[in-house]
């Protein structure tokens, strides 16, 4: 092996040519690195870790032939306008190919030239269609989702992998290998999104073009022997292309000692030996390796050291796949009651009267007619109820348990079941659930929070951080006319679509004729705001109202609507005083006099930081944070009209000028005649292009700058 220069990208995206293999992973990764430069170092670190691990694996005391056989559960998502065109038989044929190829039992290893027969690698990896779902229901491991006619998916978007976007949401990627079979655009045959490359865990897996999947049905030659999936799953387990993606330069290596140097990818079915500029002498390049681009009929081996690399990744990076129960079929049980979830209470509650509710499921084969359900609070005395009814197999029902009273505090709730149909439960592993809730003192209006206290979240506030990663935090050096604020570090947040909530205390608006929320916000992006297809960080505000389970969204902004800094930033955003904007939300018709709390929701999409400060909820007459201490521009953002509202008569004001982001003067108005001054001044930017503007107010003794955003 030549000296290794660490290569950043694992696989290559080649020039489109009809009837030639095309792998899309490189293109997707290149775009992600362009959008999020920090991924470059992440990929370097991941490659170095795998290189060290594969070499340790190579010199381990376990002989390759003594490796244990592992079986990985697979879920196949068929996402097509006619998903039935990919039959069960076709899916099974693909798994049969994988099981032969990854265990070196494929008959076409006979095609391997004698010089390389001794290094044919057996990964001892098999694949099965999942037999149980993540929530332990029986399945055949196949999902079919119908799309609109002619729908195709490209490598730069993730819609394929989410139900809400017309695709199919992944099963837990730590326990299942997700394979999406679909219609890919731009002649791409396959795409791998391996662990360790900065993809969200819910997007990890492989995507295969439906005409290159399996050996029958919709599969078409020369890619109808299932080797596209073998190739992409090789990438999933850390393999790179045999030509090392250096465009013929012979300067890079694939990190594998027993694969010859290769200048570029191979198409078709060459004759042996095939020589090139990197391997000019026999035996030449290993064009029959699964990680080249030859036709399916000419691919037939992984090497011994490629297997070392894959086994290291399987055992150390994706080890959850090896211990998953996804391949273990469910055993029918007669009397099996299961607790599916606790409907309530959870999180914050409004009242000291608590009535737990639980969803009960009959997992047994016989009707469920009775059971005991018990709960405890903080390990206290058990509160029990005997349930009776008639619940058929696989059906579920919500059961309300006895009411109890709690004081202000935090509680651990545990609920468990016993004696389904009067006999011991056949599967006690699903008989108990627990969660937490808390009952807090209420906050009256007016309510303000500037995050000046060092404790965070502030007293009575909560944080919802489901991935236990970046979330809301206190910034002790940045605020708007203050020394602190709350922020989310989206610049370093390495995932798409992750939700993090900052949750206020319960607010009682009793006696208020109107309820107004105001807060200061500062936000920036790493992509230019003109990038229309880009996903943006989003700030939402949701209201949870007493007496309802639904949340109502009262504020949603992203992209140019949200950002207060017009230019894209390649560094972490730190707002200046001019980067803050005050936003206002009228909650009167939403809360309707009921107790409520608010969720400030950050949805990360790898852009830049979001800050909030000076949160105020008050009756409009008492809302001291509603306006700037001196002047406020509204609406902001605007689609044209702008009104400057002065909180007192602007006696010292001489001139108001509005400039665009390039510093060009757009509007200017003098205020030399005291008798004509009003507390409101109107301007109109309707005929001006969208973007950032700056309002300069010139007083006798000072100047003041306000930032304004114009959007359609």
């Amino acid at each position: 092996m030549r000296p290794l220069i660490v290569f950043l990208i694992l696989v290559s995206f080649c020039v489109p040519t009809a009837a030639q293999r095309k792998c899309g992973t490189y293109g997707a990764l290149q775009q992600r690195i362009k959008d999020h430069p920090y991924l470059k170092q992440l990929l370097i670190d991941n490659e170095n870790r795998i290189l060290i691990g594969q070499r340790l694996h190579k010199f381990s005391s376990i002989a390759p032939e003594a490796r244990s056989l592992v079986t990985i559960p697979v879920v196949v998502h068929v996402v097509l306008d006619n998903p039935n065109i990919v039959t069960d038989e076709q899916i099974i044929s693909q798994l049969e190919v994988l099981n032969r190829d990854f265990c070196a039992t494929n008959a076409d290893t006979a095609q391997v030239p004698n010089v390389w027969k001794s290094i044919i690698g057996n990964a001892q990896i098999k694949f099965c269609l999942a037999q149980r779902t993540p929530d332990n229901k029986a399945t055949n491991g196949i999902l079919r989702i119908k799309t609109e006619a002619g729908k195709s998916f490209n490598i730069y978007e993730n819609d394929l992998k989410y139900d809400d976007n017309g695709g199919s949401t992944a099963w837990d990627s730590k326990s299942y290998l997700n394979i999406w079979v679909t219609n890919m655009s731009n002649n791409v045959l396959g795409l791998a999104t391996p662990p360790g490359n900065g993809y969200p865990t819910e997007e990890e897996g492989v995507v295969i073009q439906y005409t290159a999947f399996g050996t029958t049905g919709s599969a078409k030659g020369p890619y109808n022997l299932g080797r596209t999936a073998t190739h992409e799953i090789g990438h999933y387990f850390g393999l790179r292309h045999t030509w090392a993606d250096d465009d013929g330069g012979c300067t890079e290596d694939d990190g594998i000692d027993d694969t010859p140097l290769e200048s570029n990818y191979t198409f078709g079915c060459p004759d042996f030996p095939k020589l090139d500029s990197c391997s000019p002498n026999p035996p030449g390049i290993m064009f029959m390796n699964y990680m080249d681009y030859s036709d399916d009929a000419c691919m037939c081996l992984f090497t011994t050291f490629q297997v070392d690399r894959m086994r290291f990744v399987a055992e150390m990076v994706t080890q959850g796949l090896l211990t998953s129960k996804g391949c273990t079929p469910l055993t029918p049980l007669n009397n099996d009651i299961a607790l599916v979830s606790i409907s309530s209470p959870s999180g914050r509650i409004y009242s000291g009267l608590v009535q737990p509710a639980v969803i009960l499921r009959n997992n047994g084969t016989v009707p469920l007619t009775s059971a005991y359900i018990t709960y405890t609070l903080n390990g206290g005395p058990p509160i029990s109820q005997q349930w009776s009814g008639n619940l058929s197999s696989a059906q579920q029902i919500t059961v309300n348990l006895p009411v109890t009273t709690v004081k202000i505090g935090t509680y651990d709730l545990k609920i468990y079941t016993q004696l389904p149909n009067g006999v011991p439960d056949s599967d006690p592993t699903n008989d108990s659930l627990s969660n937490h809730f808390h009952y807090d003192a209420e906050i009256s209006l007016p309510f303000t929070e500037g995050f000046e206290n060092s404790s965070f979240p502030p007293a009575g506030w909560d944080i919802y951080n489901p991935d236990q990663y970046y979330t809301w935090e206190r910034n002790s050096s940045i605020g708007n006319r203050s020394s602190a604020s709350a922020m989310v570090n989206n610049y370093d947040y390495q995932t798409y679509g992750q939700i993090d909530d900052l949750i206020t205390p319960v607010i009682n608006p009793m006696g208020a004729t109107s309820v107004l929320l105001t807060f200061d916000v500062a936000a920036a992006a790493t992509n230019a705001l003109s990038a229309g297809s880009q996903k943006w960080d989003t700030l939402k505000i949701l209201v949870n109202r007493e007496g309802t389970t639904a949340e109502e969204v009262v504020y949603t902004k992203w992209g140019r609507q949200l950002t207060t800094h017009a230019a894209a930033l390649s560094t972490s955003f730190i707002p200046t005083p001019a980067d803050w904007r005050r936003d206002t939300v009228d909650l009167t018709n939403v809360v309707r006099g009921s107790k409520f709390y608010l969720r400030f929701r950050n949805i990360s999409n790898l852009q830049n930081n979001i800050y909030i400060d000076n949160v105020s909820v008050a009756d409009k007459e008492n809302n001291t944070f509603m306006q700037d201490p001196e002047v406020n521009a509204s609406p902001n953002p605007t689609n044209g009209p702008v009104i400057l509202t002065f909180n007192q008569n602007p006696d010292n004001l001489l001139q108001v000028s509005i400039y665009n982001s390039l510093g060009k003067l757009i509007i200017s108005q003098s205020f030399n005649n005291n008798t004509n001054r009003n507390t409101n001044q109107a301007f109109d930017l309707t005929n001006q292009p969208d973007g950032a503007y700056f309002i300069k107010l010139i007083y006798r003794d000072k100047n003041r700058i306000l930032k304004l955003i114009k959007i359609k």
Side-chain angles (χ1 to χ4, degrees):
M1 184 180 80
R2 83 193 91 166
L4 177 68
I5 301 173
V6 174
F7 192 64
L8 302 181
I9 309 302
L10 300 181
V11 289
S12 178
F13 177 67
C14 53
V15 178
T17 306
Q20 293 181 340
R21 189 179 302 278
K22 183 177 177 182
C23 172
T25 309
Y26 175 75
L29 279 176
Q30 284 286 69
Q31 185 61 47
R32 284 173 59 78
I33 291 172
K34 180 180 178 181
D35 293 342
H36 313 292
Y38 73 85
L39 287 175
K40 182 176 180 179
Q41 186 61 47
L42 179 71
L43 293 173
I44 292 174
D45 295 343
N46 185 59
E47 174 67 8
N48 284 334
R49 182 172 65 251
I50 292 176
L51 284 172
I52 294 171
Q54 78 185 53
R55 287 168 182 162
L56 291 174
H57 217 275
K58 171 182 173 182
F59 296 112
S60 68
S61 59
I62 301 176
E65 61 272 12
R67 287 192 182 104
S68 60
L69 178 69
V70 296
T71 303
I72 292 174
V74 171
V75 55
V76 178
H77 310 254
V78 184
V79 185
L80 289 165
D81 55 6
N82 179 13
N84 294 320
I85 196 173
V86 178
T87 64
D88 289 4
E89 178 186 12
Q90 183 175 348
I91 294 170
I92 292 169
S93 76
Q94 179 63 76
L95 264 69
E96 290 173 345
V97 171
L98 295 175
N99 288 338
R100 291 192 296 266
D101 290 351
F102 281 81
C103 288
T105 59
N106 50 304
D108 52 3
T109 54
Q111 299 175 189
V112 178
N114 290 333
V115 67
W116 291 319
K117 281 192 185 312
S118 64
I119 60 168
I120 296 173
N122 178 358
Q124 287 284 81
I125 297 174
K126 284 201 168 184
F127 303 84
C128 83
L129 284 172
Q131 299 295 296
R132 61 172 72 193
T133 66
D135 58 351
N136 285 321
K137 297 178 183 177
T139 182
N140 65 354
I142 301 172
L143 304 176
R144 287 186 169 84
I145 290 83
K146 182 177 177 61
T147 68
E148 62 191 53
K151 174 70 174 178
S152 64
F153 295 89
N154 70 56
I155 62 174
Y156 304 114
E157 297 179 353
N158 56 11
D159 289 353
L160 173 67
K161 300 178 179 180
Y162 295 95
D163 292 341
D164 292 343
N165 296 336
S168 182
T169 298
W171 290 7
D172 178 12
S173 63
K174 292 181 173 59
S175 299
Y176 299 87
L177 173 59
N178 288 273
I179 299 178
W180 288 268
V181 181
T182 191
N183 185 22
M184 302 182 72
S185 58
N186 299 318
N187 298 316
V188 174
L189 291 186
L191 166 70
T193 49
N197 284 9
Y199 287 97
T201 56
E202 63 270 21
E203 294 178 19
E204 293 173 357
V206 299
V207 183
I208 308 295
Q209 170 69 14
Y210 77 102
T211 56
F213 185 76
T215 64
T216 185
S218 63
K220 298 178 181 179
Y223 307 115
N224 59 344
L225 297 181
R227 263 54 193 272
T228 298
T230 301
H231 178 101
E232 299 302 339
I233 293 173
H235 286 319
Y236 186 83
F237 288 117
L239 295 185
R240 294 162 56 186
H241 286 140
T242 50
W243 67 92
D245 310 285
D246 66 354
D247 295 324
C250 299
T251 58
E252 283 293 342
D253 191 273
D254 64 353
I256 306 297
D257 290 349
D258 57 4
T259 57
L261 306 182
E262 184 174 340
S263 66
N264 219 324
Y265 41 79
T266 306
F267 288 136
C269 284
D271 293 329
F272 175 81
K274 178 176 172 55
L275 311 179
D276 71 8
S277 59
C278 292
S279 291
N281 301 312
I285 66 169
M286 191 182 285
F287 61 83
M288 71 291 303
N289 193 285
Y290 293 127
M291 302 315 294
D292 206 335
Y293 268 9
S294 301
D295 290 350
D296 278 18
C298 295
M299 288 183 164
C300 52
L301 88 153
F302 291 118
T303 68
T304 300
F305 294 155
Q306 282 179 318
V307 164
D308 285 333
R309 185 177 176 106
M310 287 194 291
R311 285 294 298 217
F312 169 76
V313 172
E315 294 169 12
M316 303 306 296
V317 181
T318 65
Q319 62 265 43
L321 296 177
L322 309 188
T323 58
S324 171
K325 294 182 179 180
C327 288
T328 305
L330 293 170
T331 302
L333 303 172
N334 288 335
N335 297 285
D336 179 16
I337 186 173
L339 293 180
V340 177
S341 63
I342 297 175
S343 302
S344 65
S346 63
R348 179 180 285 113
I349 63 174
Y350 295 95
S351 168
L353 291 177
V354 173
Q355 183 175 33
V358 66
I359 297 178
L360 196 69
R361 177 183 170 87
N362 180 12
N363 279 354
T365 58
V366 301
L368 180 68
T369 59
S370 67
Y372 285 92
I373 309 174
T374 303
Y375 73 90
T376 62
L377 293 174
N378 289 345
I383 302 172
S384 296
Q385 159 178 316
Q386 183 177 13
W387 173 86
S388 61
N390 195 324
L391 198 60
S392 301
S393 179
Q395 287 191 330
Q396 59 190 41
I397 189 174
T398 298
V399 178
N400 294 315
L401 302 179
V403 175
T404 191
T405 302
V406 298
K407 298 179 180 180
I408 290 173
T410 300
Y411 294 87
D412 295 321
L413 169 65
K414 181 177 180 180
I415 304 179
Y416 54 94
T417 64
Q418 294 173 300
L419 299 176
N421 294 330
V423 299
D425 198 311
S426 301
D427 181 11
T429 63
N430 53 24
D431 287 353
S432 64
L433 289 174
S434 60
N435 73 353
H436 310 280
F437 68 92
H438 53 96
Y439 177 41
D440 301 325
E442 298 171 0
I443 302 294
S444 300
L445 298 185
F447 163 62
T448 61
E449 179 57 61
F451 308 107
E452 297 300 302
N453 194 292
S454 60
S455 63
F456 193 87
W461 291 63
D462 280 332
I463 290 176
Y464 174 66
N465 179 22
D467 64 348
Q468 298 299 303
Y469 198 34
Y470 287 98
T471 191
W472 289 96
E473 60 182 292
R474 179 177 182 264
N475 189 306
S476 60
S477 59
I478 298 170
N480 187 26
R481 303 188 307 275
S482 65
S483 61
S485 61
M487 68 166 290
V488 181
N489 180 8
N490 285 324
Y491 181 79
D492 291 320
Y493 213 161
Q494 300 172 9
T495 186
Y496 284 104
Q498 185 62 50
I499 288 174
D500 288 273
D501 291 347
L502 181 61
I503 308 169
T504 70
V506 171
I507 302 169
N508 189 341
M510 183 178 297
T513 57
S514 62
V515 180
L516 201 67
L517 163 68
T518 59
F519 63 99
D520 297 330
V521 61
T526 57
N527 293 94
L529 295 174
S530 58
S533 63
Q534 176 63 42
K535 293 185 178 295
W536 303 103
D537 295 334
T538 300
L539 180 64
K540 288 188 175 185
I541 301 175
L542 302 91
V543 175
N544 292 71
R545 184 167 61 90
E546 183 181 20
T548 64
T549 57
E551 299 175 327
E552 185 165 348
V553 178
V554 295
Y555 175 102
T556 304
K557 290 187 179 181
W558 66 87
R560 66 177 62 194
Q561 293 178 324
L562 175 64
T563 53
T564 60
H565 188 90
L569 294 175
S570 60
T571 58
S572 183
F573 172 52
I574 301 175
T576 67
D579 286 323
W580 289 91
R581 180 183 72 234
R582 176 150 301 144
D583 280 358
T584 302
V585 183
D586 190 341
L587 303 177
T588 308
N589 293 329
V590 178
V591 302
R592 291 181 286 230
S594 300
K595 300 176 186 178
F596 68 97
Y597 60 89
L598 304 174
R599 293 177 179 266
F600 288 83
R601 173 164 293 174
N602 176 83
I603 304 175
S604 64
N605 276 305
L606 284 78
Q607 289 296 321
N608 218 313
N609 307 334
I610 293 177
Y611 300 77
I612 64 171
D613 198 6
N614 300 325
V615 177
S616 171
V617 183
D619 193 315
K620 184 175 181 179
E621 298 302 320
N622 298 321
N623 196 329
T624 59
F625 283 93
M626 186 181 73
Q627 295 181 328
D628 188 283
E630 297 183 13
V631 61
N632 188 47
S634 65
N636 190 4
T638 179
N639 61 3
V642 181
I643 296 177
L644 288 183
T645 301
F646 298 91
N647 295 335
Q648 56 187 359
N649 197 329
D651 289 335
N652 294 321
L653 181 64
L654 301 178
Q655 182 174 307
V656 175
S657 299
I658 301 180
Y659 299 83
N660 65 16
S661 59
L662 299 178
K664 181 181 177 180
L665 178 64
I666 304 300
I667 299 172
S668 184
Q669 183 174 340
S670 298
F671 289 82
N672 295 321
N673 186 348
N674 289 347
T675 60
N676 291 333
R677 292 196 180 102
N678 298 309
T679 56
N680 291 333
Q681 298 292 332
F683 299 88
D684 193 353
L685 299 177
T686 300
N687 295 323
Q688 299 298 323
D690 292 353
Y693 292 83
F694 298 92
I695 303 173
K696 184 175 183 180
L697 298 98
I698 301 175
Y699 295 84
R700 288 192 179 92
D701 55 350
K702 64 182 177 181
N703 293 336
R704 186 169 186 82
I705 301 292
L706 301 179
K707 186 175 180 180
L708 178 70
I709 300 294
K710 180 181 181 291
I711 60 174
K712 292 180 180 178

